Amino acid sequence: MFLKNFWPVVSRIILKGRIPILIILAVITYFLSTQMQHMRFSHSEANLLPRNHEVNIQYNKFLEIFGEEGNLIILATQDSSIFTSKKFNNWNVLSRTLNTFPEVDFTVSIGDIKKLKKDTKKKQFIVEPLYENEPTTDAEVKKIKDELFNNLPFFDNFLFNKKTGTIRTVIYIKKDIVNTSKRKDFIFNSLNPAIEKFEKDNNLDVKVSGMPYIRTMNSQNIIDEIGIFLGLALAITSFIFFLFFRSFRATFITMLVVSIGVIWAFGFIGWFGYEISVLTALIPPLIIVIGVPNCIFLINKYQHEVKTHGNQAKSLQRVISKIGNATLMTNVTTASGFATFIFTRSQLLNEFGIIASINIMAIFILSLLIIPIIYSFLPKPKEKHLQHLERKWIERIIDWMENTVRHKRIAVYISTVLIIVTSIIGVYMIRVSGSLIEDMPKGKPFFKDIVFFEKEFGGIMPLEIIVDTKRKKGVMKLSTLKRMDRLNEIIDEIPELSPSVSVLNLVKYSKQAYYNGNPKYYQLPTNQERSFILSYTKNSDVNSDLLKNFVDSTGQYARITTFMKDIGTDKMERIEERLQARIDKEFPKENFNVTMTGKALVFLKGTNYLIRNLVISLSLAILLISLFMAWMFKSFRMIIISLIPNVLPLLVTAGLMGFLGVPIKPSTILVFSIAFGISVDDTIHFLAKYRQELQANNWKVRKSVYRALRETGLSMFYTSIVLFFGFLVFIVSSFGGTIALGGLVSVTLLFAMVSNLLLLPSLLLSLEQRIANKKTFKKPAIQILPKEDVSIEDNDTDEIELKTDK
């Protein structure tokens, strides 16, 4: 009795408490709008792994020993005119200028190079400038260039590329601002203007890269696209809505509801203290796309009721009491698809799942309250606003669907089997990607600069190898250095990795300096050479200053740094296996503990972790929605039948990803759970209507299926079109992952609509003897009214009963 009377009671509360409810909504909206000021934009890469994951623990240990790794911003130019005196000097002036900014720790350019020299009197190494005075002629610059390129291999691939003539300036920004907003302010307010001025004054093209710079420019793109997505989502959904309803009033009310929903979405993000990431930035436009179908259900039902009996008050009451329950269940299933990300243990997806599921339920509450209340203050819809309920082109589409289900079920099944086989072939072609930069906007200048640095210097994504010798001062033992050098050989053989930087470079440079700078002695010392070269090193302060970048203060830990190109996960795994094989060979585990880490590797491991969690997430979504079906229909057979038309579109999407070369990555793994949670809504509405028709028609399956198809087809078509074009908005993004997400979800939902309107009715007709009986359809726990309501018997009371129940 409670369940039977719940929604009529809710409808009376809403309509009688209109003013208090509006005041409460206004207060909540104001409060959440004030929380928007607490929104924070992400200043670091998304960590896809749990905090206590072994890979994260290793990376954090590295940071404790050597500090933040990603604090380099690199400038480069590949122009022969840079080696003219004026431009050469201006290049070094730019470096000195940048060095004066408080956010910069120090800069290294050609003008800052200090040569290591042997002082035979004091038996120590000293440093002297590469050149004393600024060159005034091109000949002097050429002399400096020859000295640099031919005699100083220590700086090769660090400050210059000998083969192409490219030169670099390296900016070390202070580690304590790397993951803060100060980094963004420095880049936009200081660095970029200084570079632009240099380019203009010297007619040179300067390439800029490095992880701090890339993250800043990428984050700004995310911020810029939020407004674009919101504007496009509002424009497209409102335009489609107006085409369907031909009513400015209905369109305005719908846009008001979803606009408040967007404010709530931003407010919840700020209230919870979450960062705006590439995923949470999608939530506000998602709320628009998902909120509009709610409004379609409610407004369509209201207009249908007005057309049926003309009583506005009774129409509003029935909108709440009949459609409220159906939209509740559809929003719960959609929210469930997003909520499954909460269980992935990834902070990024956890936050996305929490905010998305909360706001989906919030937009349901807003639409259920605001639409009936606003319409209660307005006059009844005019006859022209109700004409869309009887459009002939819609009738022709429904006639075609009914004819297909009635006469061409074999063709439907054959098509389904062919699609399944083709999709399975595509699934085996899917690849996995864990690249940090693959989804970044490829048309932006900073991405083109990334490609330039990959070509010139071997990559920009750091990969760190940490050698723990398990004893103090173990790094500088010659045997350890030789082991590291043999590991370095395999790094040099891998084309996807840049030449490494480590204590080896400094030791080799020391030997070269000992032999009066002869570049052919840039190599590790022999056992005989070690003792007298070491005596020079111990007396020098220079080496200790350089050494701290490569070896910790105890001499127990050493780091080998290389940079990786933007490669796929499969290649990265093979590289990791190759490096690990050499590590196991050269470093006995009883004496050494060698680990690989770095942002690139952490991201790779995070991608693999998320892919494993994809199966869990999707399984949870299917399980939750199956429980909803069981709760509504009390029938295991109906659960299976309802899942088939919704799992098929997911298989099709996976197949398309394989054929089109769209990889499984953090952005695209969201598609399946999201699409499944949304697409099952149509199944719920269709099966609810089908059940009612069975009861009304004495369990005659064919008649019930055809009537259910006619009654629900209109709203299923409307909402699917809105969802299709709503998600299609995301393809205008400059981010590859967002484009893939929008396109794949749109395609999945389109297939889901066709599957629910053709395959589901066909299955019901073919299996009628197995499912069409009272035992199979026990009375459900709640009464679900489909999108297009069955006829209602007016008994002039507040409680309205279905004919079928009477």
Side-chain angles (χ1 to χ4, degrees):
M1 287 298 295
F2 170 78
L3 291 170
K4 183 178 179 181
N5 294 307
F6 175 75
W7 285 104
V9 170
V10 169
S11 66
R12 286 196 292 271
I13 292 173
I14 292 174
L15 295 174
K16 290 180 179 179
R18 296 178 298 176
I19 302 301
I21 289 174
L22 289 178
I23 293 173
I24 292 171
L25 291 178
V27 170
I28 295 174
T29 303
Y30 173 76
F31 168 74
L32 290 174
S33 67
T34 62
Q35 299 304 304
M36 291 168 63
Q37 62 183 322
H38 301 303
M39 287 192 307
R40 297 175 293 117
F41 291 94
S42 178
H43 297 291
S44 61
E45 294 93 357
N47 193 337
L48 306 176
L49 293 168
R51 290 188 179 93
N52 60 351
H53 195 281
E54 181 184 1
V55 173
N56 267 341
I57 293 172
Q58 291 175 351
Y59 181 66
N60 290 331
K61 183 179 180 180
F62 162 78
L63 295 180
E64 288 175 8
I65 298 172
F66 293 104
E68 175 63 46
E69 57 162 341
N71 66 324
L72 271 68
I73 296 179
I74 306 166
L75 314 183
T77 184
Q78 189 184 45
D79 192 318
S80 59
S81 67
I82 191 65
F83 294 106
T84 58
S85 58
K86 180 182 177 181
K87 293 183 179 180
F88 182 80
N89 291 330
N90 288 344
W91 178 258
N92 292 312
V93 168
L94 173 64
S95 174
R96 292 195 294 270
T97 302
L98 294 174
N99 198 38
T100 62
F101 289 112
E103 297 88 355
V104 175
D105 195 0
F106 62 93
T107 62
V108 181
S109 190
I110 291 177
D112 303 309
I113 289 178
K114 302 288 191 295
K115 293 192 295 183
L116 199 64
K117 303 240 358 181
K118 180 176 69 170
D119 186 338
T120 54
K121 291 183 179 180
K122 295 181 179 180
K123 289 192 175 182
Q124 66 179 21
F125 291 116
I126 60 173
V127 293
E128 63 178 30
L130 177 62
Y131 56 91
E132 293 289 343
N133 301 312
E134 286 189 353
T136 56
T137 65
D138 294 351
E140 292 179 1
V141 175
K142 185 177 185 305
K143 184 179 178 181
I144 293 170
K145 177 186 176 183
D146 291 342
E147 171 74 8
L148 180 66
F149 281 30
N150 297 325
N151 298 327
L152 294 174
F154 178 78
F155 297 99
D156 191 10
N157 208 67
F158 177 59
L159 291 181
F160 65 88
N161 183 330
K162 183 178 178 180
K163 294 179 181 178
T164 62
T166 302
I167 63 172
R168 300 204 301 185
T169 290
V170 180
I171 305 166
Y172 290 81
I173 65 173
K174 291 181 177 176
K175 293 180 178 180
D176 57 350
I177 74 159
V178 169
N179 294 319
T180 69
S181 59
K182 290 182 181 179
R183 182 196 75 209
K184 173 187 173 185
D185 296 337
F186 164 68
I187 289 174
F188 282 107
N189 301 331
S190 303
L191 179 66
N192 285 349
I195 293 172
E196 289 168 5
K197 184 177 185 303
F198 174 83
E199 289 179 320
K200 183 178 179 181
D201 293 344
N202 295 276
N203 193 29
L204 288 172
D205 179 27
V206 177
K207 308 294 184 181
V208 190
S209 196
M211 292 312 297
Y213 185 81
I214 292 170
R215 294 203 303 262
T216 301
M217 304 305 292
N218 197 47
S219 296
Q220 188 59 43
N221 268 352
I222 294 173
I223 296 169
D224 294 341
E225 287 194 353
I226 291 177
I228 296 173
F229 288 153
L230 285 175
L232 282 176
L234 279 170
I236 290 177
T237 53
S238 60
F239 176 71
I240 296 172
F241 186 95
F242 180 78
L243 285 181
F244 287 156
F245 286 88
R246 301 298 174 92
S247 169
F248 287 106
R249 183 167 65 185
T251 305
F252 172 78
I253 293 171
T254 299
M255 293 303 105
L256 174 65
V257 171
V258 295
S259 297
I260 294 174
V262 168
I263 294 173
W264 283 31
F266 281 126
F268 277 117
I269 293 173
W271 191 19
F272 286 17
Y274 292 160
E275 291 183 338
I276 296 289
S277 65
V278 70
L279 289 183
T280 51
L282 300 178
I283 291 176
L286 276 175
I287 294 305
I288 296 174
V289 173
I290 295 172
V292 169
N294 285 343
C295 300
I296 289 177
F297 300 158
L298 295 165
I299 294 175
N300 200 43
K301 174 63 178 173
Y302 171 64
Q303 293 183 350
H304 180 81
E305 287 293 326
V306 170
K307 184 175 180 65
T308 301
H309 54 73
N311 188 321
Q312 185 181 24
K314 193 168 292 183
S315 298
L316 292 170
Q317 182 202 25
R318 290 178 175 177
V319 165
I320 300 168
S321 60
K322 302 302 181 183
I323 293 297
N325 200 38
T327 51
L328 170 64
M329 291 306 301
T330 54
N331 279 272
V332 166
T333 55
T334 302
S336 299
F338 286 89
T340 55
F341 297 121
I342 297 172
F343 304 101
T344 59
R345 295 177 60 208
S346 164
Q347 182 181 351
L348 179 73
L349 288 183
N350 187 279
E351 293 177 359
F352 176 72
I354 290 172
I355 294 295
S357 53
I358 288 175
N359 281 282
I360 288 169
M361 297 311 301
I363 195 68
F364 158 72
I365 294 170
L366 285 171
S367 57
L368 186 69
L369 296 177
I370 293 176
I371 289 176
I373 289 175
I374 290 181
Y375 270 113
S376 69
F377 289 108
L378 299 175
K380 287 192 303 183
K382 297 178 182 178
E383 185 63 31
K384 65 178 182 179
H385 297 142
L386 308 178
Q387 291 176 355
H388 72 94
L389 298 172
E390 298 177 351
R391 290 207 184 117
K392 291 184 179 180
W393 65 275
I394 288 289
E395 285 293 323
R396 285 196 291 270
I397 292 175
I398 294 175
D399 286 342
W400 175 81
M401 290 188 295
E402 182 180 332
N403 182 64
T404 301
V405 171
R406 188 187 294 267
H407 301 296
K408 301 177 181 179
R409 288 199 297 278
I410 299 299
V412 171
Y413 297 143
I414 292 174
S415 301
T416 301
V417 171
L418 291 175
I419 289 172
I420 290 173
V421 172
T422 306
S423 299
I424 291 174
I425 295 172
V427 167
Y428 281 99
M429 299 169 64
I430 291 180
R431 62 185 180 90
V432 177
S433 170
S435 167
L436 265 171
I437 64 175
E438 183 180 29
D439 281 343
M440 291 182 182
K442 293 179 174 54
K444 299 292 181 180
F446 79 88
F447 187 88
K448 295 177 181 178
D449 289 354
I450 292 173
V451 176
F452 170 83
F453 279 97
E454 283 191 347
K455 179 181 177 183
E456 290 292 314
F457 297 98
I460 48 86
M461 294 182 292
L463 176 65
E464 302 280 356
I465 301 174
I466 311 304
V467 179
D468 177 7
T469 61
K470 297 185 178 182
R471 57 190 181 277
K472 292 183 178 180
K473 298 183 180 179
V475 170
M476 297 307 293
K477 289 175 66 70
L478 187 58
S479 60
T480 302
L481 295 173
K482 287 182 177 180
R483 292 177 190 275
M484 292 173 62
D485 198 38
R486 288 192 290 271
L487 175 59
N488 202 48
E489 290 173 1
I490 200 72
I491 293 175
D492 291 339
E493 292 175 6
I494 300 173
E496 290 83 7
L497 299 179
S498 71
S500 66
V501 180
S502 68
V503 65
L504 293 173
N505 301 72
L506 184 57
V507 173
K508 292 176 181 179
Y509 193 24
S510 298
K511 179 176 177 177
Q512 179 188 353
Y514 184 82
Y515 286 99
N516 300 315
N518 189 333
K520 76 176 185 178
Y521 289 103
Y522 184 75
Q523 56 189 241
L524 286 179
T526 63
N527 286 322
Q528 292 78 14
E529 293 168 330
R530 178 183 177 276
S531 56
F532 47 81
I533 291 177
L534 187 62
S535 65
Y536 273 73
T537 303
K538 287 179 178 179
N539 296 330
S540 305
D541 295 329
V542 177
N543 279 29
S544 61
D545 291 336
L546 294 172
L547 201 63
K548 66 182 182 181
N549 293 316
F550 309 118
V551 182
D552 79 312
S553 58
T554 67
Q556 178 178 334
Y557 297 94
R559 68 188 286 192
I560 301 173
T561 303
T562 180
F563 294 90
M564 189 175 68
K565 292 182 179 180
D566 178 30
I567 55 178
T569 304
D570 51 346
K571 283 187 179 181
M572 183 58 213
E573 287 177 343
R574 288 198 294 271
I575 290 173
E576 185 184 6
E577 290 171 0
R578 193 172 172 185
L579 291 174
Q580 191 63 54
R582 179 59 64 94
I583 289 170
D584 294 340
K585 178 181 178 182
E586 299 294 344
F587 296 91
K589 291 187 179 180
E590 59 270 17
N591 299 324
F592 298 93
N593 182 25
V594 182
T595 56
M596 285 182 282
T597 186
K599 291 187 183 298
L601 192 63
V602 170
F603 195 82
L604 163 72
K605 299 294 185 181
T607 300
N608 291 335
Y609 176 83
L610 286 185
I611 291 168
R612 289 193 297 270
N613 276 264
L614 166 64
V615 179
I616 299 173
S617 174
L618 186 58
S619 300
L620 277 173
I622 293 174
L623 176 62
L624 285 173
I625 291 166
S626 298
L627 291 175
F628 288 134
M629 294 291 187
W631 185 41
M632 291 189 312
F633 299 113
K634 306 290 185 182
S635 168
F636 177 76
R637 292 172 185 171
M638 290 306 300
I639 294 173
I640 301 300
I641 290 175
S642 65
L643 290 179
I644 291 174
N646 291 290
V647 173
L648 177 62
L650 302 184
L651 182 62
V652 171
T653 301
L656 282 175
M657 290 174 66
F659 286 119
L660 299 177
V662 179
I664 290 285
K665 49 189 174 181
S667 50
T668 55
I669 63 173
L670 306 174
V671 170
F672 301 98
S673 294
I674 292 173
F676 185 80
I678 296 174
S679 65
V680 80
D681 294 352
D682 285 342
T683 305
I684 291 175
H685 282 288
F686 184 89
L687 291 179
K689 177 61 182 174
Y690 171 64
R691 179 189 179 280
Q692 293 171 352
E693 290 297 333
L694 278 176
Q695 293 173 331
N697 295 289
N698 197 25
W699 309 99
K700 294 178 180 177
V701 170
R702 294 180 179 277
K703 185 177 181 180
S704 301
V705 168
Y706 300 143
R707 291 196 61 177
L709 185 61
R710 286 200 159 273
E711 292 285 349
T712 58
L714 177 62
S715 290
M716 287 169 70
F717 179 78
Y718 279 3
T719 55
S720 296
I721 294 299
V722 169
L723 289 168
F724 174 79
F725 285 103
F727 275 98
L728 212 58
V729 161
F730 295 121
I731 67 171
V732 304
S733 172
S734 57
F735 293 90
T738 307
I739 295 171
L741 177 67
L744 291 172
V745 172
S746 296
V747 169
T748 306
L749 294 178
L750 197 63
F751 271 104
M753 177 191 73
V754 175
S755 184
N756 277 303
L757 289 174
L758 295 180
L759 181 59
L760 179 58
S762 297
L763 288 172
L764 292 173
L765 289 171
S766 299
L767 301 174
E768 60 179 297
Q769 298 302 322
R770 295 180 178 271
I771 61 174
N773 57 72
K774 296 182 181 181
K775 184 178 180 180
T776 302
F777 279 88
K778 297 177 182 178
K779 191 170 181 64
I782 57 173
Q783 194 82 353
I784 303 293
L785 196 75
K787 297 176 184 179
E788 288 297 333
D789 199 354
V790 295
S791 58
I792 294 177
E793 195 73 38
D794 185 0
N795 56 10
D796 294 324
T797 66
D798 284 338
E799 185 174 323
I800 302 163
E801 298 178 356
L802 294 173
K803 264 187 179 182
T804 52
D805 289 335
K806 294 179 73 173

